[in-house]
Amino acid sequence: MTTRSHRRSIALPIPAERAFALLIEPSAIRAWWGASRVIVDARPHGDWVAAWGADEDRPDYVTAATIEAIEAPRRLRLGAFRYFARKEGELPFDGRSLATEFVIAPHAGGCTLSVEQSGFPTDAKADAFFAACEVGWRNTLD
């Protein structure tokens, strides 16, 4: 299957260790990404789960992934995604092919955080979700 990806980067005025914490600490994920609830089992093959919405029993959005690689403070790779949106339902394609890789490169005065999402099918059924992910990461990093 042919797939597509997108990538974004941002220079952060914080040490690489703090940037890495933004990716795995539930309190930091809630603050930065606006998630209502977060569970992270920060080890290889652990779970990374975030939910959004006011109702804990019926969240509006849930994203879950498996931690495929965790190399603090430089790299985190999430894969085998499961995603649910209350209004839209399940993904119109198999999300297990999706991956999100974060790479942190330290430099004087801080670090650069790069995010690459890959594994999106190239057919039209994935277009809307792909576009939403591009916008979502642009907004998150801005």
Side-chain angles (χ1 to χ4, degrees):
M1 168 176 66
T2 305
T3 63
R4 58 188 153 171
S5 63
H6 66 92
R7 181 185 171 109
R8 301 224 23 115
S9 296
I10 186 170
L12 299 171
I14 58 176
E17 293 78 11
R18 182 67 196 127
F20 194 79
L22 293 172
L23 306 174
I24 62 166
E25 290 180 359
S27 60
I29 294 166
R30 285 193 307 274
W32 185 32
W33 295 352
S36 310
R37 285 156 296 290
V38 178
I39 298 171
V40 178
D41 177 8
R43 60 190 171 112
H45 311 293
D47 292 316
W48 190 104
V49 183
W52 291 262
D55 186 344
E56 182 174 8
D57 295 328
R58 293 178 48 85
D60 296 324
Y61 302 94
V62 177
T63 297
T66 300
I67 296 173
E68 293 180 344
I70 184 166
E71 301 163 14
R74 309 271 189 204
R75 179 174 172 253
L76 176 68
R77 181 177 172 84
L78 306 175
F81 274 83
R82 286 92 59 210
Y83 175 82
F84 175 77
R86 179 143 316 281
K87 291 182 182 175
E88 295 89 5
E90 303 287 332
L91 289 175
F93 58 91
D94 186 354
R96 291 176 296 178
S97 65
L98 296 177
T100 301
E101 184 157 357
F102 302 91
V103 175
I104 299 169
H107 56 73
C111 65
T112 298
L113 170 64
S114 297
V115 181
E116 182 175 6
Q117 281 191 300
S118 60
F120 294 90
T122 56
D123 53 352
K125 67 184 175 184
D127 286 350
F129 190 74
F130 179 78
C133 288
E134 285 184 305
V135 169
W137 278 109
R138 182 177 61 241
N139 292 344
T140 298
L141 295 181
D142 287 348

